[in-house]
Amino acid sequence: MKRLLLALLLLASTLGFTQSTIIEQARNYRKSNEHALLNEFMGLLSIPNIVYDTVGIQKTAAYIMQMMEKRGIKAELLQPTTKGAPAAVYGEVKVPNATQTVIFYAHYDGQPVNPNQWAEGIEPFKSVFLDASLEKGGKIIPAPKSDEKINPEWRIYGRSASDDKAGVFSILSAYEVLGKIGQQPSVNMKFFFEGEEEAGSPHLAEILEKYKDKLKSDLWVICDGPVHQSGKKQVVFGVRGDINMEVKVYASKRPLHSGHYGNWAPNPAMLLSKLLSSMKDDNGRVLIKGFYDDVVPFTETERKAIAKVPSVDEQMRNELGFMRAEGGGKTLVELINLPSLNVNGISSANVGKMAANVIPVSATAALDLRLVLGNDAQRQAQKVIDHIKAQGYYVTQNESITDEERMRYPLIARVSVGKGYNAQRTKMDLPIAQKVIKAVQASTNEEIVLMPSLGGSLPLFLFEKYLATPTITVPIANHDNNQHAENENIRIQNIWNSIETYVALMKM
Amino acid sequence: MKRLLLALLLLASTLGFTQSTIIEQARNYRKSNEHALLNEFMGLLSIPNIVYDTVGIQKTAAYIMQMMEKRGIKAELLQPTTKGAPAAVYGEVKVPNATQTVIFYAHYDGQPVNPNQWAEGIEPFKSVFLDASLEKGGKIIPAPKSDEKINPEWRIYGRSASDDKAGVFSILSAYEVLGKIGQQPSVNMKFFFEGEEEAGSPHLAEILEKYKDKLKSDLWVICDGPVHQSGKKQVVFGVRGDINMEVKVYASKRPLHSGHYGNWAPNPAMLLSKLLSSMKDDNGRVLIKGFYDDVVPFTETERKAIAKVPSVDEQMRNELGFMRAEGGGKTLVELINLPSLNVNGISSANVGKMAANVIPVSATAALDLRLVLGNDAQRQAQKVIDHIKAQGYYVTQNESITDEERMRYPLIARVSVGKGYNAQRTKMDLPIAQKVIKAVQASTNEEIVLMPSLGGSLPLFLFEKYLATPTITVPIANHDNNQHAENENIRIQNIWNSIETYVALMKM
């Protein structure tokens, strides 16, 4: 009898029965402790964490260390070799008999804010509850009293509510809940919370290199970004790379009266318009020579996964309010798996109330290139530079153009290129990848989305380069979270779901 | 003997001898009073006069009224019928035995300023002296002490230093100097200083109509704009018309992450670039249908005058620092006698330090169309709108786009069109025009330039329409004055020359 039971238990475990029981227990625990959980989260949100604000960053790190200590995790700071750069918050939990080690990553810094751009009554660091999203007419409501039921469709508004304090909170809460229901993780656990992801992780390499031994693991699980726009949970195996460029086109040395010189003196805004126009066709296809070369094709597994990604194109067009997408009929998921060229902004003289009848002296475009596996960031940027040259431009890196250059070249552009980084993709067939898929799938009744690569970028290549360790991203936020922009928010149900996802991952 | 002397004096007067004596006396008076003259000018420059700043405009008007009273001219405000709109400052001087009446016009309002765009140490309304133009390496110098010699190549930097407080100052100073050297004007004089020229003179018509009788005259002399780029004085018989447009292209409702949606969601900066590009070819020729229709050709006299205008194309290219002009080989003077389309500014999201990896929600271009005789402002703007529609755009005038519009039209542009006004040209053969030419020629040893039309614009058609009175423009500023832009300035020698020009005109 005992043997049979044991055999059944083993079988149940293999089939995920134990896992779903644990998830149910976790859910029940959460349901009885929602107020306490949210209180801690609101405390975390109240600390300014703008990536360039050293004091706020340190305070946020200190709060997270307290959260860890409360859970019995010894917390420490991993300082990069560059003095003054933000430290990562680190801790580890050794599990008896565990054979694998997983590092759970999130970042605690946030994007800069312009409080004037936020909706009335919503401040970046005085988080508030809304009864729905602003776009759906949501109104600010008082924080729920301790005996009040919390509606999971409510949202919390504040900087980093989604990106990525929610990540830090979900990881630590999942670990806490696991303990509360009397369970141990199935893997050795390490916690790594970065403090300058929003600045492009300029010192992450230093930390990874310096703490190479401490950071040994079988897998990094990255908790950042949104779940699929269909609302389904997703597991993401890679990210695109990214590199920023700025193109500045020069004309006259001084602004000119448009009546006295218009249509004789060159107009930099028009020159820039023509230059940008030359880069893409009307369907958004990039016309730069070789732009789509170098791309490593998807594996069979990846292709199949992509084919199964639910289409959200129509839903998103409706939500975002445009009739026709770029791409000449290609789908969103196809397009985010290609290299891209996007204009982040353009500027020349003034418009609106500040507009004047002048010919501007220069015109500037900020571009970002997203890269897929096979692209090299600098090589991709060079293709853009070569294209600009092929349009007849003299290209320089200098901000000030000499008189000699001005009289020698009919078209002059200054192009500056950021450091950028390459794409990264973890193979979906790896045994540990399969374990992650199973764990996340066990935490939900809906079929999860397996995404070979996110459209967005994270410097995940660093983990490969410095630690030779694979990364898998398991995002948690609602897709309409206004990440990076004003009115950032998280839907409460997404927090609850994230705890269950990460409980499952800790028991994978 | 007495008779002979009298005859000689009469002859001298006819030959302009008396006029040049008077100009010499005026010059001598100026030379002994340069500090006092500039002090008053600097006082005028220190008053903010941005055309949309009601308080500043009123203060500027009050200062000018004081200047007039100081010269014994009774000053009054001519209020337009529209309440709250800027008034014109007005005064008159009756001259015994004078048979003709000339109104001297300048405007006291200035273009908007963005102080951040001005050079370090130079503020729009805290005028400073420089020892040369910024472009020639000029440095800020202390205001000259009362015993210090004033170098006429120095410049004064500040908003409206040239455009057009210099006009107000020159007219009033010429009148003052004339009195100081014991001379009376040869014509009845009226002074008319407008307060909203830089906004396109929206209420000038009201004033002209309301004060029709008061404003009776044989000629308006307009003191605005620069002398010829060759440095020669010029008399200008017409102006181009002008109309402003703003084109705003819409994409998603909210700013999007460029990684998750880039190259799928439409990019308004790219759309705007393509739209602007479609408006002109690489030589700057406007491709909008019918854009060059309606143009009234020059008369024989005008054609001859144009042929005599010194070529400044190469000089200006060198000075402005560009190798190739627009126009496919046409000269500057030819091009400013054609209708033009100029991009005043473009803007979408941010560039530089504020740039973020987003897809912007909209992109805006400010345009101005210059018009020549025969063009109608609204008809010309309509051609641009028709062109935008022909590119597939749905064009609206509303700032907010409805969801229905968003889902119905693939391309959406908001186009707003200013009131604008048409070109005007006075016949060079009119007897009073010939008198003006002679007077200005008498004030200089160099041959003056006779220009049938300025490239720039003034609402001179109004004087023709409401008062049936010809206008002739006699500009005074250095051509490199940065009119309408940051770092506006005037060369001191141009102020001195302007006093002599206007003394001559008051004795014409």
Side-chain angles (χ1 to χ4, degrees):
Chain A
M1 189 67 182
K2 253 193 178 171
R3 271 202 174 161
L4 185 66
L5 259 177
L6 200 67
L8 272 171
L9 267 175
L10 271 169
L11 186 69
S13 163
T14 318
L15 293 171
F17 173 74
T18 309
Q19 212 166 21
S20 47
T21 312
I22 291 167
I23 288 159
E24 206 181 314
Q25 287 174 347
R27 185 175 308 143
N28 291 335
Y29 176 85
R30 179 264 296 170
K31 282 184 177 168
S32 315
N33 293 275
E34 289 183 350
H35 290 84
L37 285 162
L38 288 191
N39 278 347
E40 190 182 42
F41 185 47
M42 297 302 269
L44 179 58
L45 291 185
S46 71
I47 310 166
N49 69 331
I50 296 170
V51 60
Y52 303 110
D53 164 16
T54 312
V55 174
I57 284 295
Q58 285 171 353
K59 281 189 185 162
T60 310
Y63 188 94
I64 294 169
M65 291 174 86
Q66 278 174 26
M67 288 173 73
M68 290 167 76
E69 304 281 354
K70 193 185 120 190
R71 287 154 173 85
I73 308 160
K74 199 177 159 300
E76 59 178 308
L77 290 172
L78 306 188
Q79 302 281 1
T81 41
T82 300
K83 265 199 172 164
V89 178
Y90 178 79
E92 51 184 75
V93 173
K94 278 219 186 301
V95 177
N97 303 322
T99 55
Q100 287 188 306
T101 301
V102 176
I103 308 192
F104 290 87
Y105 166 103
H107 66 89
Y108 64 86
D109 60 302
Q111 280 273 331
V113 291
N114 181 347
N116 297 327
Q117 293 172 338
W118 289 57
E120 211 186 313
I122 304 184
E123 291 177 42
F125 298 109
K126 284 187 184 165
S127 312
V128 286
F129 287 81
L130 268 75
D131 58 7
S133 73
L134 275 175
E135 291 76 15
K136 299 221 164 125
K139 298 271 170 281
I140 297 172
I141 53 173
K145 290 190 198 103
S146 56
D147 58 347
E148 190 180 347
K149 203 178 154 355
I150 295 171
N151 184 334
E153 293 302 330
W154 289 350
R155 299 203 175 198
I156 297 169
Y157 275 70
R159 171 55 84 229
S160 292
S162 268
D163 180 22
D164 185 27
K165 282 178 176 173
V168 175
F169 176 75
S170 297
I171 291 169
L172 291 179
S173 295
Y175 179 74
E176 181 186 12
V177 169
L178 207 57
K180 297 286 186 187
I181 60 172
Q183 291 284 340
Q184 265 197 343
S186 61
V187 290
N188 291 312
M189 301 199 35
K190 295 181 177 176
F191 302 89
F192 185 98
F193 302 125
E194 193 193 347
E196 51 171 4
E197 194 271 341
E198 299 297 2
S201 301
H203 304 97
L204 180 58
E206 286 181 11
I207 297 177
L208 299 187
E209 204 166 18
K210 184 172 168 190
Y211 299 98
K212 210 171 188 159
D213 294 331
K214 196 187 276 281
L215 297 174
K216 271 204 174 114
S217 76
D218 298 285
L219 178 70
W220 285 70
V221 171
I222 309 294
C223 186
D224 197 6
V227 300
H228 193 252
Q229 293 100 333
S230 60
K232 291 180 176 164
K233 291 188 179 183
Q234 68 179 345
V235 179
V236 181
F237 296 86
V239 286
R240 289 201 282 189
D242 196 16
I243 185 164
N244 287 100
M245 303 184 73
E246 191 178 84
V247 180
K248 187 172 178 181
V249 166
Y250 293 80
S252 296
K253 276 197 228 178
R254 56 180 167 88
L256 295 176
H257 188 291
S258 65
H260 300 325
Y261 300 100
N263 284 16
W264 176 74
N267 185 307
M270 183 57 85
L271 291 174
L272 182 68
S273 294
K274 290 197 173 276
L275 182 57
L276 294 175
S277 295
S278 74
M279 293 183 184
K280 293 175 91 170
D281 72 12
D282 285 345
N283 285 326
R285 178 141 184 106
V286 179
L287 299 171
I288 292 166
K289 204 178 152 192
F291 199 80
Y292 298 103
D293 295 354
D294 311 330
V295 176
V296 172
F298 284 113
T299 63
E300 188 57 29
T301 314
E302 289 168 337
R303 250 197 307 277
K304 279 183 185 159
I306 286 178
K308 285 181 76 177
V309 173
S311 168
V312 291
D313 293 40
E314 199 181 332
Q315 168 204 328
M316 289 310 300
R317 279 200 304 99
N318 278 296
E319 183 181 319
L320 301 175
F322 58 85
M323 189 197 131
R324 190 169 69 197
E326 283 189 5
K330 283 206 176 69
T331 63
L332 174 56
V333 72
E334 285 174 297
L335 288 165
I336 61 169
N337 282 300
L338 287 174
S340 78
L341 182 152
N342 179 62
V343 185
N344 298 135
I346 51 175
S347 177
S348 180
N350 299 294
V351 301
K353 281 268 171 213
M354 299 287 291
N357 287 341
V358 296
I359 308 166
V361 293
S362 66
T364 305
L367 306 177
D368 83 303
L369 314 180
R370 300 281 170 173
L371 314 164
V372 299
L373 214 60
N375 289 145
D376 173 76
Q378 293 299 326
R379 196 168 63 226
Q380 198 75 348
Q382 188 59 47
K383 290 175 197 165
V384 179
I385 293 174
D386 292 344
H387 175 84
I388 296 172
K389 287 180 180 169
Q391 307 308 304
Y393 277 85
Y394 164 70
V395 173
T396 174
Q397 289 174 31
N398 298 328
E399 179 68 50
S400 70
I401 311 299
T402 65
D403 284 354
E404 205 196 322
E405 288 170 318
R406 288 179 167 279
M407 297 321 292
R408 191 163 164 192
Y409 304 106
L411 297 168
I412 300 175
R414 173 178 185 261
V415 180
S416 52
V417 178
K419 233 180 126 196
Y421 53 78
N422 293 347
Q424 185 275 340
R425 210 148 77 211
T426 295
K427 288 216 158 53
M428 295 168 76
D429 310 309
L430 293 184
I432 202 160
Q434 291 297 316
K435 279 177 92 172
V436 168
I437 295 171
K438 271 185 196 140
V440 177
Q441 184 59 74
S443 76
T444 172
N445 294 324
E446 290 188 308
E447 191 172 10
I448 64 169
V449 175
L450 303 181
M451 191 70 91
S453 177
L454 210 64
S457 303
L458 292 166
L460 299 187
F461 77 100
L462 290 173
F463 300 98
E464 224 170 57
K465 181 173 172 187
Y466 290 96
L467 305 174
T469 310
T471 58
I472 294 176
T473 301
V474 184
I476 56 171
N478 39 296
H479 77 275
D480 58 347
N481 65 52
N482 290 345
Q483 192 180 346
H484 287 202
E486 56 273 20
N487 303 323
E488 181 175 349
N489 67 86
I490 192 157
R491 175 174 160 263
I492 289 174
Q493 184 62 51
N494 281 69
I495 304 178
W496 302 154
N497 292 349
S498 74
I499 295 175
E500 293 167 25
T501 307
Y502 276 81
V503 161
L505 285 166
M506 290 171 192
K507 284 299 276 184
M508 74 180 175
Chain B
M1 187 72 180
K2 253 192 180 173
R3 273 198 169 160
L4 184 67
L5 259 177
L6 201 68
L8 272 173
L9 268 175
L10 272 170
L11 185 71
S13 164
T14 319
L15 292 173
F17 173 72
T18 308
Q19 214 166 20
S20 48
T21 311
I22 291 167
I23 288 159
E24 206 182 313
Q25 286 173 348
R27 184 176 309 143
N28 289 337
Y29 177 84
R30 179 263 297 170
K31 281 186 177 168
S32 314
N33 292 276
E34 289 183 351
H35 290 84
L37 286 161
L38 287 192
N39 277 348
E40 190 183 40
F41 186 48
M42 297 302 271
L44 179 59
L45 292 185
S46 71
I47 310 166
N49 69 332
I50 296 170
V51 59
Y52 303 110
D53 164 17
T54 311
V55 174
I57 285 294
Q58 285 171 354
K59 280 189 185 162
T60 310
Y63 188 94
I64 294 169
M65 291 174 85
Q66 277 174 25
M67 287 173 73
M68 290 167 75
E69 305 281 354
K70 194 186 119 189
R71 287 156 173 84
I73 308 161
K74 200 176 160 299
E76 61 179 309
L77 291 174
L78 306 189
Q79 301 281 1
T81 41
T82 301
K83 265 199 173 165
V89 178
Y90 177 78
E92 51 184 74
V93 173
K94 278 219 186 303
V95 177
N97 304 323
T99 55
Q100 287 188 306
T101 301
V102 176
I103 307 191
F104 290 86
Y105 166 102
H107 66 88
Y108 63 86
D109 60 301
Q111 281 271 331
V113 292
N114 182 344
N116 298 327
Q117 293 172 338
W118 289 58
E120 211 187 315
I122 304 184
E123 292 177 41
F125 298 109
K126 284 187 183 165
S127 311
V128 286
F129 287 81
L130 268 75
D131 58 7
S133 73
L134 276 175
E135 292 75 15
K136 299 225 164 123
K139 299 272 170 282
I140 296 170
I141 52 173
K145 289 190 199 103
S146 56
D147 58 348
E148 192 180 346
K149 201 176 157 357
I150 294 170
N151 184 332
E153 293 302 329
W154 288 350
R155 300 200 175 201
I156 297 169
Y157 274 73
R159 171 55 84 230
S160 293
S162 267
D163 180 22
D164 184 29
K165 282 178 174 172
V168 175
F169 176 75
S170 297
I171 290 168
L172 291 178
S173 296
Y175 179 74
E176 182 187 12
V177 169
L178 207 57
K180 296 286 184 186
I181 61 172
Q183 291 285 339
Q184 266 198 341
S186 62
V187 291
N188 292 312
M189 303 201 31
K190 295 179 177 178
F191 302 89
F192 185 97
F193 302 124
E194 195 192 347
E196 52 172 4
E197 195 272 339
E198 298 297 1
S201 301
H203 304 96
L204 181 56
E206 287 181 9
I207 297 178
L208 298 188
E209 202 165 19
K210 184 172 166 190
Y211 298 99
K212 209 173 188 154
D213 294 332
K214 197 188 273 283
L215 296 175
K216 271 204 174 114
S217 76
D218 297 285
L219 177 72
W220 285 70
V221 171
I222 310 294
C223 186
D224 197 4
V227 300
H228 192 253
Q229 294 100 332
S230 59
K232 292 178 176 167
K233 291 189 179 183
Q234 68 179 344
V235 179
V236 181
F237 296 86
V239 286
R240 288 202 282 189
D242 195 17
I243 186 164
N244 286 99
M245 304 184 73
E246 190 178 84
V247 180
K248 186 172 178 180
V249 166
Y250 293 81
S252 296
K253 276 196 228 179
R254 55 178 167 89
L256 296 175
H257 190 289
S258 65
H260 298 324
Y261 300 101
N263 283 17
W264 176 73
N267 185 306
M270 183 58 85
L271 290 174
L272 182 68
S273 294
K274 289 198 174 275
L275 182 57
L276 293 176
S277 295
S278 74
M279 294 183 184
K280 293 174 91 171
D281 72 12
D282 284 345
N283 285 325
R285 177 141 186 109
V286 180
L287 299 171
I288 292 167
K289 204 179 152 191
F291 200 80
Y292 296 103
D293 295 354
D294 310 331
V295 176
V296 172
F298 284 114
T299 65
E300 187 58 28
T301 314
E302 289 168 337
R303 251 198 307 278
K304 279 184 185 158
I306 286 178
K308 283 182 76 177
V309 173
S311 168
V312 291
D313 292 41
E314 200 181 330
Q315 168 206 329
M316 289 310 299
R317 279 201 303 99
N318 278 296
E319 181 181 321
L320 301 175
F322 58 84
M323 192 198 127
R324 190 169 69 198
E326 284 189 5
K330 283 205 177 69
T331 63
L332 173 57
V333 71
E334 284 176 297
L335 289 164
I336 60 170
N337 283 300
L338 287 174
S340 78
L341 182 152
N342 179 63
V343 185
N344 298 135
I346 51 176
S347 176
S348 181
N350 298 297
V351 301
K353 283 266 170 217
M354 297 288 289
N357 286 342
V358 297
I359 308 167
V361 292
S362 65
T364 305
L367 305 178
D368 83 303
L369 314 180
R370 300 281 169 172
L371 315 163
V372 300
L373 214 60
N375 289 145
D376 174 76
Q378 292 299 325
R379 195 167 65 226
Q380 199 75 348
Q382 188 58 47
K383 290 175 196 165
V384 179
I385 293 175
D386 291 344
H387 175 85
I388 295 171
K389 288 180 178 168
Q391 308 308 303
Y393 277 85
Y394 164 69
V395 173
T396 174
Q397 289 175 30
N398 298 329
E399 178 69 49
S400 71
I401 311 298
T402 65
D403 283 355
E404 205 197 324
E405 287 170 319
R406 288 178 166 279
M407 297 321 292
R408 190 163 166 192
Y409 304 106
L411 297 168
I412 299 176
R414 172 178 186 263
V415 181
S416 52
V417 179
K419 235 180 125 197
Y421 53 76
N422 294 346
Q424 185 275 341
R425 214 147 75 210
T426 294
K427 290 217 158 51
M428 295 167 77
D429 310 310
L430 294 184
I432 202 159
Q434 291 297 315
K435 277 177 96 171
V436 167
I437 294 171
K438 270 187 196 137
V440 177
Q441 184 60 74
S443 77
T444 172
N445 293 324
E446 291 187 308
E447 192 174 8
I448 65 170
V449 174
L450 304 181
M451 192 70 92
S453 177
L454 209 64
S457 303
L458 292 166
L460 299 188
F461 78 99
L462 291 174
F463 301 97
E464 222 169 60
K465 181 173 172 187
Y466 290 96
L467 305 174
T469 310
T471 57
I472 294 176
T473 302
V474 183
I476 55 170
N478 39 297
H479 75 276
D480 58 346
N481 65 52
N482 289 349
Q483 193 178 349
H484 288 201
E486 57 271 24
N487 304 323
E488 181 176 348
N489 67 86
I490 193 158
R491 176 174 160 263
I492 289 176
Q493 184 62 50
N494 281 71
I495 304 179
W496 302 154
N497 291 350
S498 75
I499 295 176
E500 293 168 24
T501 307
Y502 276 81
V503 161
L505 284 165
M506 290 171 191
K507 287 298 276 185
M508 75 180 175

